Amino acid sequence: MHVYGTHNPRSRYCFQLRPQVANSLKQVFFSKERLVIIMSGITIVIEGSGKHCHVSRETLDTLFGEGFELEVKKWLTQPGQFVTPQKVTVVGPRKSVSLSIIGPCRKADQVELSLTDATSLGFSAPIRESGNISGSPGCKLIGPNGEVEISEGVIIAKRHVHLTPEDAAAFGIVDKQVVKVRVGGERALVFGEVVARVSPEFATYMHVDYDEWNAAALSGQEAIGEIIIE
Amino acid sequence: MHVYGTHNPRSRYCFQLRPQVANSLKQVFFSKERLVIIMSGITIVIEGSGKHCHVSRETLDTLFGEGFELEVKKWLTQPGQFVTPQKVTVVGPRKSVSLSIIGPCRKADQVELSLTDATSLGFSAPIRESGNISGSPGCKLIGPNGEVEISEGVIIAKRHVHLTPEDAAAFGIVDKQVVKVRVGGERALVFGEVVARVSPEFATYMHVDYDEWNAAALSGQEAIGEIIIE
């Protein structure tokens, strides 16, 4: 049983439940002066990640001009991460595509595509955790101020759950642990090979690409999965 | 235990196993003069279906000219079904796309898209079994000889397994039964809500769209699933 409520000082018995929890409530009752909450499992909100790229400070200088600062178009759920209005043309072996940059700058350039995108652009890209780009294909990036040829960095993101250390401890999950996530609905399925990533810099969300999102027919309102630990 | 070998008259003990079976062999041995085959489960070859359309005889007449006959570009695994070189432009609310016609002609026009395709074209299409198009969106179809406005027919195919009556009986599956299919590999997952369709006109194969194919990182050589009956 996991209770992740934040106590509401206006009532001793009022909890504001996080969506991960609220959706898996099965039964709530009092027993021997204790509040008993029975849940169906450990649930997590799922988000779909569209194709995007990350750039280094050095690459940003070349693409957009020395000292250019990325702007914030929309904050993402992971703390400090944001969609920018800045776009880069990624030149694939077969086609090119214009992708949004996700800020802030990172140590290395990285292009994240779905397998459908990669096939369409002509990349034979590996399925990798973010940051693990060794041996992945490179490509040309074109910005308004210049071009950069990256020697590696094109990947298909491995599906993953971001967890705060608190949630990970409560769920009994450790960093790098591989779990499964069950999704219900019209295209119910169980995602295997879901890697858990635990950091105080994260918020607790699952990320899948749009192939995975659509294969499960997820939609914004109901994108909740149940983590299965075996 | 299921044995689906065809007896080879050249040897009493030689079976030519179908790929569905060969891939799930765990152990083969003789016990009390009987051949014992232990398998991991009921396996099935999975195929990815790209976006395509089916047309009625009447629609074909309008799009390609009275009495036009569809040509065979490539035979499909389902008996009598074939990809044609004939293309039709499907006009969506947001974009248009050129799709191959799958022959032969059917009773009703039907456009089958992945959820990714549907979103891109601007259709809000339901996930349906082939042939169940009631209430689905319509669209304009444009051929070299004319246009047809269909009032319904745009669907996202519900994932399904085609089974011969013999295989269905051997597997213990009946027509319309909903099963699960487990896929291994880098993006291992278990597809739920897989509808079984049994007919003497079918060959035993599972069909998924390219969202599902890519979400499971399936590839031609290893696209094998294990049917789970609960």
Side-chain angles (χ1 to χ4, degrees):
Chain A
M1 192 187 79
H2 305 275
V3 182
Y4 307 102
T6 50
H7 186 246
N8 182 333
R10 283 186 289 180
S11 163
R12 284 178 62 190
Y13 304 116
C14 178
F15 288 82
Q16 186 180 4
L17 294 171
R18 293 168 47 186
Q20 285 92 322
V21 176
N23 281 279
S24 68
L25 283 182
K26 283 287 177 197
Q27 204 179 355
V28 180
F29 60 93
F30 281 94
S31 171
K32 296 177 186 168
E33 297 190 350
R34 281 167 183 261
L35 178 65
V36 178
I37 300 178
I38 296 176
M39 309 214 306
S40 63
I42 305 168
T43 54
I44 191 160
V45 175
I46 307 175
E47 295 180 322
S49 297
K51 50 187 177 290
H52 64 269
C53 66
H54 302 282
V55 292
S56 66
R57 180 64 254 176
E58 192 185 352
T59 294
L60 188 63
D61 284 344
T62 308
L63 297 177
F64 285 83
E66 192 79 17
F68 184 89
E69 289 299 332
L70 290 169
E71 297 163 291
V72 178
K73 183 179 172 188
K74 184 186 159 199
W75 290 99
L76 295 169
T77 54
Q78 293 304 308
Q81 302 291 305
F82 54 93
V83 182
T84 75
Q86 277 71 50
K87 298 235 176 192
V88 161
T89 299
V90 172
V91 182
R94 191 185 297 157
K95 278 191 205 171
S96 296
V97 70
S98 174
L99 295 191
S100 294
I101 297 177
I102 301 292
C105 286
R106 295 206 178 174
K107 283 183 192 167
D109 304 308
Q110 183 169 294
V111 175
E112 293 183 44
L113 304 171
S114 72
L115 197 40
T116 295
D117 300 326
T119 305
S120 161
L121 297 172
F123 287 112
S124 179
I127 296 161
R128 292 282 182 81
E129 279 186 68
S130 185
N132 177 12
I133 58 171
S134 170
S136 63
C139 68
K140 187 191 280 184
L141 303 177
I142 306 174
N145 192 65
E147 299 179 3
V148 172
E149 189 78 39
I150 62 173
S151 61
E152 59 185 19
V154 180
I155 63 165
I156 293 150
K158 186 174 172 68
R159 52 192 172 229
H160 55 278
V161 288
H162 290 279
L163 297 169
T164 63
E166 296 72 27
D167 283 342
F171 294 171
I173 295 173
V174 297
D175 190 42
K176 303 286 179 197
Q177 186 171 340
V178 176
V179 299
K180 293 178 179 171
V181 175
R182 176 182 290 126
V183 170
E186 234 183 337
R187 280 187 152 179
L189 55 72
V190 179
F191 288 117
E193 297 295 327
V194 182
V195 65
R197 296 168 56 195
V198 182
S199 164
E201 294 175 11
F202 291 158
T204 296
Y205 283 91
M206 178 174 183
H207 285 167
V208 299
D209 68 23
Y210 273 96
D211 289 337
E212 297 165 324
W213 181 265
N214 285 329
L218 291 168
S219 70
Q221 296 302 309
E222 301 146 25
I224 302 282
E226 180 190 352
I227 299 179
I228 304 166
I229 302 167
E230 283 173 351
Chain B
M1 192 187 80
H2 305 274
V3 182
Y4 306 103
T6 49
H7 187 245
N8 181 333
R10 283 186 289 180
S11 161
R12 286 178 62 189
Y13 303 117
C14 178
F15 288 83
Q16 187 180 3
L17 293 172
R18 294 171 44 188
Q20 285 92 320
V21 176
N23 281 279
S24 68
L25 284 182
K26 283 286 176 197
Q27 205 182 354
V28 180
F29 60 94
F30 282 94
S31 171
K32 297 177 185 167
E33 297 190 347
R34 281 167 181 261
L35 179 65
V36 178
I37 300 178
I38 295 176
M39 309 214 306
S40 62
I42 304 167
T43 56
I44 191 158
V45 174
I46 306 174
E47 295 180 322
S49 296
K51 50 187 177 290
H52 65 269
C53 67
H54 302 282
V55 292
S56 67
R57 178 66 253 175
E58 192 184 355
T59 294
L60 188 63
D61 284 344
T62 307
L63 296 178
F64 285 83
E66 192 78 20
F68 184 88
E69 288 300 332
L70 290 169
E71 297 163 292
V72 178
K73 183 178 171 188
K74 185 186 158 199
W75 289 99
L76 294 169
T77 54
Q78 292 306 308
Q81 301 292 305
F82 54 92
V83 183
T84 73
Q86 277 71 50
K87 298 234 177 195
V88 161
T89 298
V90 172
V91 182
R94 190 183 298 159
K95 277 192 207 170
S96 297
V97 69
S98 173
L99 295 191
S100 294
I101 298 177
I102 300 292
C105 284
R106 295 207 178 173
K107 282 182 194 166
D109 304 308
Q110 183 169 294
V111 175
E112 292 183 43
L113 304 171
S114 71
L115 196 39
T116 295
D117 299 327
T119 305
S120 162
L121 297 173
F123 287 112
S124 178
I127 296 161
R128 292 281 182 82
E129 280 186 67
S130 186
N132 177 11
I133 58 171
S134 170
S136 63
C139 67
K140 187 192 279 185
L141 303 177
I142 307 174
N145 193 66
E147 300 179 2
V148 172
E149 189 78 38
I150 62 173
S151 62
E152 58 185 18
V154 180
I155 63 165
I156 294 150
K158 187 174 170 69
R159 52 193 174 229
H160 57 277
V161 288
H162 291 278
L163 297 168
T164 63
E166 295 73 25
D167 283 341
F171 294 169
I173 295 172
V174 297
D175 190 41
K176 304 285 179 198
Q177 187 171 340
V178 176
V179 298
K180 293 179 180 171
V181 175
R182 177 182 290 126
V183 170
E186 234 183 336
R187 279 187 153 179
L189 54 73
V190 179
F191 288 116
E193 297 296 326
V194 181
V195 65
R197 296 168 56 195
V198 182
S199 165
E201 293 176 10
F202 290 158
T204 296
Y205 283 91
M206 177 174 183
H207 285 168
V208 298
D209 69 23
Y210 273 96
D211 289 337
E212 297 165 324
W213 181 265
N214 285 329
L218 292 167
S219 70
Q221 296 300 308
E222 301 145 23
I224 302 284
E226 179 190 352
I227 299 178
I228 304 165
I229 303 167
E230 283 171 352

